[in-house]
Amino acid sequence: MDEIKLPIDGKLPNRWEIQYYTLMGKLFYWLKILRGNKGKKSNPLNCDMEIEIIGDIPGGDITQNTEIMNYIFKNPLNNKIIESATKGAPLIKLGSGSNPRVMITAGVHGNEIPPQIAALKLINELDKTDINGTVYVIPFVAPTASSQNSKLFRNQNLNLVAHNPGTPTNNVLKKAQELEVNSLADFHATSTHPSEDSVIYFLSVASSKIAFYVNKKSNSRLLAHIYNPGTLIATCNTNNIPTILCEVEAPDGTASNESIEVSYNQMKAFLRYHQIIT
Ligand SMILES: [Zn+2]
């Protein structure tokens, strides 16, 4: 569970950094458990739902992706979100607008299917639930890539260019800043590396605390981020938005009920960390 695997390009965290941040995550996890639900909590409110379109990001026809369509319910809400995706990246706001305000993203890689389906499932679920605070969900960060079941968006890996203005992932950062979100979680699927259900933290205490909690609550392996300035997790964290990245094991371009469930549980653990749901 707490093992760390190192690889891929980018700057490797050293052994001491990993031990330090894992220890910090663990410490805050136990403090949180000991405090229980005694923390300040406002009354959960009836969930208002709004759909906005991030028009700076090109839209796409999600119905062309048969794998996504095979798994989602064809209900009015999902139809509306998919229709919105033809005009840009849909941004669904759930909750009153009050703190805590968090953002969930999926589809940074368009062929990583389970999180995109899980994000729709989460929106449908939260729409019927009283929540504390506000959740912004972007189920398709790059609708064009999702429609093509493609990892790349216009030959770009969007998780390497988030620091470049004008890219969809940079537009996500700008939107998160505009909405003053306190924390963000970016959801992926993996078939090569790390190729297992995992939660990845940036080398900061704020990020490791969240990741350690998700690791404990969703049985996802805890890993340290291999620093690359263009990942969404790095770009957000360096802009003071504590961010984690979650991976679910699934072959590219495909989903299964099991992988969708794992991704969905990672999302719920992230929301529980912030006491948005119980
Ligand atoms: Zn990915």
Side-chain angles (χ1 to χ4, degrees):
M1 161 213 53
D2 296 345
E3 276 175 89
I4 313 291
K5 198 161 71 178
L6 305 171
I8 283 201
D9 319 287
K11 184 172 156 279
L12 299 179
N14 72 42
R15 195 155 67 89
W16 302 112
E17 286 173 319
I18 289 169
Q19 285 185 358
Y20 173 73
Y21 289 109
T22 304
L23 185 68
M24 283 296 127
K26 194 178 272 184
L27 180 69
F28 281 100
Y29 174 79
W30 286 110
L31 283 174
K32 196 173 173 68
I33 296 296
L34 287 172
R35 267 203 321 263
N37 288 326
K38 280 179 248 157
K40 274 188 215 155
K41 257 182 145 179
S42 54
N43 289 327
L45 292 168
N46 247 331
C47 211
D48 302 320
M49 205 244 348
E50 289 167 28
I51 303 180
E52 187 192 317
I53 293 159
I54 308 177
D56 299 344
I57 299 175
D61 180 4
I62 303 295
T63 63
Q64 287 178 6
N65 188 319
T66 49
E67 189 71 1
I68 293 179
M69 296 310 288
N70 280 343
Y71 281 94
I72 61 169
F73 289 112
K74 315 291 184 294
N75 61 24
L77 177 52
N78 285 341
N79 291 345
K80 202 169 154 188
I81 294 168
I82 284 167
E83 166 62 29
S84 308
T86 60
K87 302 180 196 107
L91 168 76
I92 293 85
K93 176 192 164 196
L94 299 133
S96 60
S98 64
N99 279 327
R101 304 150 66 83
V102 303
M103 184 176 277
I104 283 177
T105 56
V108 163
H109 294 137
N111 66 342
E112 296 174 7
I113 307 298
Q116 302 181 62
I117 298 164
L120 290 182
K121 184 174 157 157
L122 184 75
I123 294 163
N124 278 267
E125 201 51 45
L126 294 182
D127 190 34
K128 294 178 281 189
T129 313
D130 292 342
I131 66 168
N132 188 34
T134 313
V135 185
Y136 297 97
V137 186
I138 306 179
F140 312 110
V141 165
T144 319
S146 298
S147 70
Q148 298 161 345
N149 210 350
S150 159
K151 175 175 181 173
L152 304 180
F153 166 79
R154 295 181 178 165
N155 290 323
Q156 277 185 316
N157 179 341
L158 295 181
N159 214 22
L160 294 176
V161 296
H163 56 330
N164 293 341
T167 58
T169 30
N170 191 261
N171 288 333
V172 168
L173 165 73
K174 284 197 310 197
K175 186 52 83 176
Q177 289 176 314
E178 180 193 317
L179 296 169
E180 297 178 349
V181 308
N182 315 123
S183 180
L184 190 149
D186 183 31
F187 293 83
H188 290 246
T190 171
S191 60
T192 50
H193 172 77
S195 186
E196 61 189 309
D197 304 339
S198 46
V199 51
I200 297 169
Y201 65 91
F202 186 76
L203 293 183
S204 78
V205 173
S207 175
S208 68
K209 280 158 66 174
I210 307 167
F212 196 86
Y213 184 89
V214 173
N215 152 259
K216 284 289 193 191
K217 299 293 181 187
S218 73
N219 271 327
S220 302
R221 188 171 176 187
L222 186 67
L223 298 173
H225 178 55
I226 310 305
Y227 185 75
N228 181 309
T231 57
L232 187 58
I233 174 177
T235 309
C236 289
N237 276 294
T238 51
N239 281 280
N240 299 316
I241 302 173
T243 298
I244 58 164
L245 188 160
C246 293
E247 299 267 15
V248 57
E249 202 277 316
D252 286 346
T254 65
S256 63
N257 289 328
E258 193 191 4
S259 57
I260 295 164
E261 196 62 21
V262 171
S263 191
Y264 180 66
N265 286 334
Q266 291 172 333
M267 291 175 184
K268 288 204 299 189
F270 173 68
L271 296 181
R272 282 201 188 99
Y273 173 85
H274 291 288
Q275 298 188 324
I276 286 175
I277 57 170
T278 50

